Amino acid sequence: MPTTITGINDFVIKFANVNGSGSASANLLFAKSIMRMGVPVATRNIFPSNIQGLPTWYEVRVSAKGYRGRRGGVDLMVPMNPQTWDADIAEIEPGGYVFYDSTRPIPPSKFRPDINIIGMPLTEIVNGAYTDSRQRQLLKNIVYVGALSALLDIDPKAIEQLIGEQFKGKDKLIEPNHRALHMGRDYALKHLRCPLGIRVRHADRVGDKIFIDGNNAAALGAVYGGATFAAWYPITPSSSLAEAFQRHCRRYRVDTASGKNRFAIIQAEDELASIGMVIGAAWNGARAFTATSGPGISLMQEFLGLAYFAEIPAVIFDVQRGGPSTGMPTRTQQADLLSCAFASHGDTKHVMLFPADPKEAFEMAALAFDLADRLQTPIFVMLDLDIGMNESLVPPLTWDDARRMDRGKVMTAEMLEAGKDFGRYLDVDGDGIPYRTLPGTHPKRGAFFTRGTTKDRYARYSEDGTVYVDNMDRLLKKFATAKHLVPAPEWRESAEQAKAGVIYFGSTTPAMEEALDAFTQQGVHLDALRVRGFPFADTVYDFIARHDQVFVVEQNRDAQLRFLIVNEGNVDPSRLVSVLNYDGTPITARFIVDAISKKLVAANVMPFRKKAPAP
């Protein structure tokens, strides 16, 4: 036997299945059983964008330290798809394990000499126990979960409990699944060497954390943020956000007395119609949003320009995926920053929020509606597939019941009746934000209509160049106000004074946090800044000024975050060094450490001075 990988509560297992084989629920059951033992896990679902029958993968990272990013490499592979066998075997770390269905012989050439081979006749076992073909396929998945429980020392009672919860209300399915679970477990205990060098041990590291995906959390945040209207067109990977909003509304937005819905959700004929409906609803006072992805953003450009120039609140959830064009619909990227920041033709600048996980997706979703009303402009919540569609362990979502919606500058009927000077585009206090009225607030006064053409401070049509410049300059002033309202960056200082720093955002965060820990263990000290909103706070430029060199880590080809920083802050581009991952898979700590280490050596930057006292 080759040298084996060992580890307690610290390994990566990957399942390679066929899409539509019913493996998803079994693999999720496996991951949740480990959490029930008090051990944190991070999961990634990698699925095809085409029809049933194509390859799908599910990766589970077991991490006692609670690391949530992809580590890179696989310690135990469960290859159930012959089509991807060679690539799956190649992913296994030297000394790792492959657990496979040995019903049919596989030539030795299909394995590697530096991995541990564990065969179990899964198909033979289920064929001997069941006659129905669909039942054989579904319960085969539970059989291998049972075998893995023995190989990895997972408590079977945790799995039994989860099966009971999964089939609550369908009790007749519980016993067959329990039987399949123990069929696999008993065979492994009798015929295989159990447990392996990698295994799970009871711990208390999960606590009260919840397991939730970002789309679901963002949809709930929209409910708490006061959203009552959504219009959307189905597109991967954002569809589940709109669907989750509908579920939450049915629970929280139905009048208990009358039974009537206090929400409206429309599946539009396309993305253009959906954003048009959102703008119309928002103009009339509803808190409204759409959920889409990069191709949808491309189609919404003209309407987004209207919302910007007519100053209408709206929230857009952009669950980013691989592009351009159709690109990689079921892969993740952070490649829509520029298309959202400058959406529409002409001079536009939009506010963006960058949540790092489902908890922040919830919080920033609710915040986005306050910001949209306060700033009277579209707000982009920049999710991506990794955050949106993958479940993650996060602290419980919390809400302050004393919190009230910030509707911004809304002039009331009483104010209008009292003769308050109302100019729809009149800045009365220097922050660039005018007062607005909701249509019908007053029978004769206030704004009832708006336009996308040029106008003066009182919304009167004008093509006068000075009037246009006045309006455009005021919009810039409003954008400057926004940088004090978006979430502030998080500055993480190293234990020792560092010459170099790193800037990152969004779904890069889990891998970046792990990479920073790895650098510290190596004696390499880097300060770090997580950007959480655009426009950028002055802190971003202070951070750059304090370091000889700053790495900007992002998941796109063209260094879009770096471009925005250079463009908005007039920063010398040579001071910002890009670290880019854009293959569609979530960035890993290993990739970050390797890339930055090579660049530090090449630049001869050694950040090891003792830290000076904080100013």
Side-chain angles (χ1 to χ4, degrees):
M1 295 283 286
T3 302
T4 59
I5 292 175
T6 60
I8 305 296
N9 299 342
D10 184 16
F11 58 89
V12 175
I13 179 171
K14 191 170 185 178
F15 300 87
N17 301 99
V18 175
N19 193 32
S21 64
S23 59
S25 59
N27 296 340
L28 181 60
L29 187 74
F30 170 84
K32 286 185 174 180
S33 68
I34 297 174
M35 286 187 285
R36 285 290 171 90
M37 293 180 65
V39 182
V41 303
T43 62
R44 297 291 186 284
N45 189 20
I46 305 168
F47 56 98
S49 59
N50 292 306
I51 60 174
Q52 177 177 326
L54 292 180
T56 182
W57 295 267
Y58 188 74
E59 185 175 288
V60 180
R61 180 179 184 183
V62 182
S63 172
K65 294 182 179 179
Y67 289 133
R68 294 177 296 161
R70 286 186 68 234
R71 187 200 69 185
V74 176
D75 300 315
L76 170 59
M77 178 66 74
V78 184
M80 295 296 166
N81 189 348
Q83 291 181 337
T84 62
W85 176 278
D86 291 341
D88 295 332
I89 296 298
E91 277 195 74
I92 304 172
E93 297 278 280
Y97 308 82
V98 55
F99 172 71
Y100 76 104
D101 183 356
S102 61
T103 301
R104 293 183 178 181
I106 296 179
S109 61
K110 286 290 186 178
F111 296 97
R112 287 169 33 197
D114 61 343
I115 61 174
N116 300 280
I117 301 167
I118 307 163
M120 178 171 165
L122 297 168
T123 301
E124 179 182 317
I125 291 170
V126 296
N127 286 352
Y130 308 101
T131 56
D132 180 78
S133 59
R134 183 59 176 165
Q135 191 178 39
R136 284 174 171 175
Q137 177 57 60
L138 293 175
L139 292 179
K140 175 182 172 181
N141 301 320
I142 302 300
V143 170
Y144 74 59
V145 169
L148 290 171
S149 74
L151 290 167
L152 299 173
D153 209 11
I154 299 172
D155 187 349
K157 292 181 179 179
I159 307 176
E160 290 174 355
Q161 184 182 27
L162 286 164
I163 290 173
E165 294 171 6
Q166 180 177 337
F167 295 110
K168 185 177 181 180
K170 300 178 181 178
D171 294 353
K172 65 179 183 179
L173 298 177
I174 295 176
E175 191 280 330
N177 278 273
H178 280 177
R179 181 186 170 204
L181 172 72
H182 285 282
M183 194 183 304
R185 181 175 175 84
D186 292 345
Y187 183 97
L189 289 172
K190 182 176 180 180
H191 299 282
L192 305 176
R193 184 179 299 176
C194 300
L196 301 177
I198 53 175
R199 64 189 70 175
V200 182
R201 180 179 295 166
H202 278 280
D204 187 18
R205 304 299 300 271
V206 174
D208 62 352
K209 290 181 180 177
I210 62 173
F211 198 52
I212 188 173
D213 64 85
N215 282 353
N216 192 10
L220 188 60
V223 173
Y224 274 79
T228 57
F229 180 84
W232 64 294
Y233 182 77
I235 182 172
T236 301
S238 72
S239 295
S240 61
L241 197 159
E243 293 163 351
F245 180 70
Q246 187 169 29
R247 291 196 305 272
H248 294 314
C249 282
R250 286 173 177 165
R251 182 175 182 182
Y252 297 114
R253 288 255 189 279
V254 177
D255 184 75
T256 54
S258 65
K260 292 183 178 180
N261 292 339
R262 302 183 65 182
F263 63 92
I265 302 172
I266 299 174
Q267 182 176 320
E269 60 266 36
D270 54 35
E271 288 89 350
L272 285 81
S274 65
I275 189 62
M277 292 176 188
V278 166
I279 292 170
W283 170 256
N284 282 279
R287 288 196 155 186
F289 76 89
T290 188
T292 189
S293 191
I297 296 294
S298 297
L299 290 170
M300 295 177 183
Q301 296 288 304
E302 187 173 359
F303 262 134
L304 290 167
L306 170 63
Y308 173 79
F309 202 48
E311 300 181 63
I312 302 172
V315 173
I316 302 95
F317 293 97
D318 180 8
V319 190
Q320 300 167 90
R321 70 188 206 183
S325 186
T326 307
M328 296 189 292
T330 58
R331 300 293 185 266
T332 194
Q333 279 189 355
Q334 298 173 314
D336 293 351
L337 271 66
L338 296 183
S339 60
C340 290
F342 305 120
S344 191
H345 55 279
D347 293 324
T348 55
K349 284 187 181 181
H350 296 293
V351 176
M352 297 186 292
L353 307 181
F354 304 127
D357 57 31
K359 180 175 174 59
E360 285 198 341
F362 169 79
E363 295 167 349
M364 291 189 186
L367 173 64
F369 291 95
D370 278 352
L371 291 177
D373 274 349
R374 178 94 177 260
L375 294 165
Q376 300 172 32
T377 198
I379 305 294
F380 289 85
V381 182
M382 305 300 290
L383 297 161
D384 57 38
L385 186 146
D386 190 29
I387 296 174
M389 294 194 70
N390 287 314
E391 292 172 303
S392 181
L393 267 178
V394 294
L397 310 181
T398 58
W399 186 259
D400 182 0
D401 288 334
R403 177 174 169 177
R404 293 294 178 265
M405 290 187 293
D406 182 355
R407 299 309 304 260
K409 296 179 179 178
V410 179
M411 197 167 284
T412 64
E414 292 75 18
M415 295 167 70
L416 291 168
E417 189 65 33
K420 185 83 172 179
D421 184 22
F422 175 68
R424 177 62 188 93
Y425 301 106
L426 175 66
D427 180 9
V428 298
D429 53 14
D431 64 359
I433 306 170
Y435 273 87
R436 64 178 174 133
T437 61
L438 303 181
T441 294
H442 190 282
K444 296 182 180 179
R445 297 168 184 162
F448 290 83
F449 304 98
T450 189
R451 66 175 82 237
T453 49
T454 57
K455 60 271 182 185
D456 68 9
R457 297 177 183 183
Y458 290 87
R460 296 173 299 209
Y461 178 76
S462 172
E463 294 187 12
D464 187 309
T466 58
V467 170
Y468 172 78
V469 170
D470 177 67
N471 198 41
M472 293 297 286
D473 287 349
R474 180 182 57 77
L475 289 171
L476 272 183
K477 188 180 294 184
K478 179 166 70 171
F479 193 71
T481 298
K483 77 177 182 179
H484 302 292
L485 301 178
V486 300
E490 289 185 348
W491 189 320
R492 171 174 167 172
E493 291 197 350
S494 64
E496 302 289 338
Q497 185 169 325
K499 292 181 179 180
V502 59
I503 294 175
Y504 59 100
F505 73 104
S507 63
T508 302
T509 301
M512 191 69 242
E513 290 174 345
E514 183 179 357
L516 290 169
D517 286 350
F519 277 124
T520 299
Q521 293 171 9
Q522 296 172 15
V524 177
H525 302 291
L526 293 170
D527 292 335
L529 188 79
R530 178 165 75 93
V531 176
R532 300 198 298 156
F534 175 79
F536 303 125
D538 293 339
T539 309
V540 173
Y541 305 107
D542 294 340
F543 181 87
I544 295 170
R546 276 187 50 176
H547 299 91
D548 295 343
Q549 194 167 50
V550 174
F551 300 98
V552 183
V553 182
E554 48 188 315
Q555 299 181 74
N556 58 70
R557 184 196 70 179
D558 293 341
Q560 296 185 26
L561 179 64
R562 178 180 179 273
F563 175 90
L564 285 175
I565 293 171
V566 170
N567 187 67
E568 296 298 308
N570 197 25
V571 175
D572 179 359
S574 66
R575 303 193 61 201
L576 302 181
V577 180
S578 289
V579 176
L580 307 173
N581 174 77
Y582 47 92
D583 65 0
T585 62
I587 196 168
T588 67
R590 289 182 178 182
F591 177 89
I592 294 171
V593 170
D594 182 63
I596 291 181
S597 296
K598 289 177 179 176
K599 293 177 185 294
L600 283 171
V601 171
N604 196 29
V605 175
M606 301 296 290
F608 297 119
R609 296 201 307 268
K610 288 286 185 183
K611 183 180 289 291

